[in-house]
Amino acid sequence: MSINMRIIFKSYQKLLSKYPVRIQAMQAGILMGLGDQLSQNLIERRKFKDLDFVRTSHFASIGFFIAGPATTTWYRILDKYIGSKGGVIVVKKVLCDQLLFAPTFLSILLVSIGLLQGSNINSLKHKLETSYFEILINNYKIWPMVQLVNFYFIPLQYQVLLVQSVALLWNTYISYITNTKNGRLRVVWIR
């Protein structure tokens, strides 16, 4: 690791220990906004003049105000009440995460996106009815394995960073699904 990278990493560690929720909220906001930009650029193939930066700011705001603080708090709760290391503990944490947090957080995420898009109650209800279960099923194809690795190998203070890094692709998917009329995306990397 170069000297500059070490300095950056040490500064990051210092800020993370002093302001864990704020730093992880910023990470989540940046990575969710980037996920939306990847969706617009790579999947929707928009030209620069057609990019929707308001939509990107909405995604970044959800990361900053909801996803970052929620996951940081959730991982601390899991660590406090279930424990930190060990095979059985990790399995319990993954089960709690996937059976309690994931379905609830996904609902909050979809409603938040819909509200920021200006959807009314009927539109929100329709989007949830048409997209929620497909997204939840795709969640179960990816996130249990990610969380097994996360909870087993990654120290608590870096768990949100790992999840948000993997979520870069997930956020791209969510952005596309929540910004299309039919709410369906069929690409190989999701299956």
Side-chain angles (χ1 to χ4, degrees), residues 47-78:
K47 293 182 182 342
F48 183 79
K49 66 181 177 72
D50 297 324
L51 293 176
D52 186 346
F53 292 105
V54 171
R55 176 177 131 182
T56 300
S57 70
H58 289 165
F59 261 76
S61 296
I62 290 169
F64 186 76
F65 293 109
I66 299 172
T71 52
T72 301
T73 303
W74 175 245
Y75 294 163
R76 287 177 170 197
I77 289 169
L78 288 176

Side-chain angles (χ1 to χ4, degrees), residues 73-85 89 93 151 154-157 159:
T73 303
W74 175 245
Y75 294 163
R76 287 177 170 197
I77 289 169
L78 288 176
D79 210 60
K80 180 178 180 179
Y81 292 103
I82 297 177
S84 25
K85 296 290 176 199
I89 288 172
K93 287 171 90 169
F151 294 141
I154 307 299
L156 178 62
Q157 70 267 27
Q159 289 176 357

Side-chain angles (χ1 to χ4, degrees), residues 38-177:
L38 287 173
S39 175
Q40 290 188 53
N41 284 284
L42 301 178
I43 297 173
E44 298 167 41
R45 301 206 182 272
R46 293 181 179 208
K47 293 182 182 342
F48 183 79
K49 66 181 177 72
D50 297 324
L51 293 176
D52 186 346
F53 292 105
V54 171
R55 176 177 131 182
T56 300
S57 70
H58 289 165
F59 261 76
S61 296
I62 290 169
F64 186 76
F65 293 109
I66 299 172
T71 52
T72 301
T73 303
W74 175 245
Y75 294 163
R76 287 177 170 197
I77 289 169
L78 288 176
D79 210 60
K80 180 178 180 179
Y81 292 103
I82 297 177
S84 25
K85 296 290 176 199
V88 173
I89 288 172
V90 169
V91 170
K92 286 180 183 178
K93 287 171 90 169
V94 170
L95 287 172
C96 285
D97 185 68
Q98 292 302 300
L99 297 176
L100 301 174
F101 185 79
T104 304
F105 181 75
L106 180 58
S107 297
I108 292 167
L109 179 65
L110 294 176
V111 168
S112 298
I113 292 168
L115 290 173
L116 288 171
Q117 291 172 336
S119 298
N120 61 31
I121 287 291
N122 289 334
S123 296
L124 283 173
K125 185 178 173 187
H126 175 72
K127 197 65 158 179
L128 285 170
E129 288 171 352
T130 58
S131 301
Y132 177 80
F133 287 107
E134 178 183 354
I135 295 170
L136 185 62
I137 288 166
N138 284 328
N139 168 85
Y140 291 137
K141 293 176 184 177
I142 298 168
W143 289 107
M145 189 57 69
V146 170
Q147 291 296 46
L148 277 170
V149 169
N150 194 30
F151 294 141
Y152 193 81
F153 293 108
I154 307 299
L156 178 62
Q157 70 267 27
Y158 302 117
Q159 289 176 357
V160 173
L161 178 60
L162 175 80
V163 165
Q164 286 300 324
S165 297
V166 173
L168 186 57
L169 291 177
W170 181 251
N171 295 335
T172 303
Y173 164 69
I174 295 293
S175 175
Y176 182 79
I177 292 296

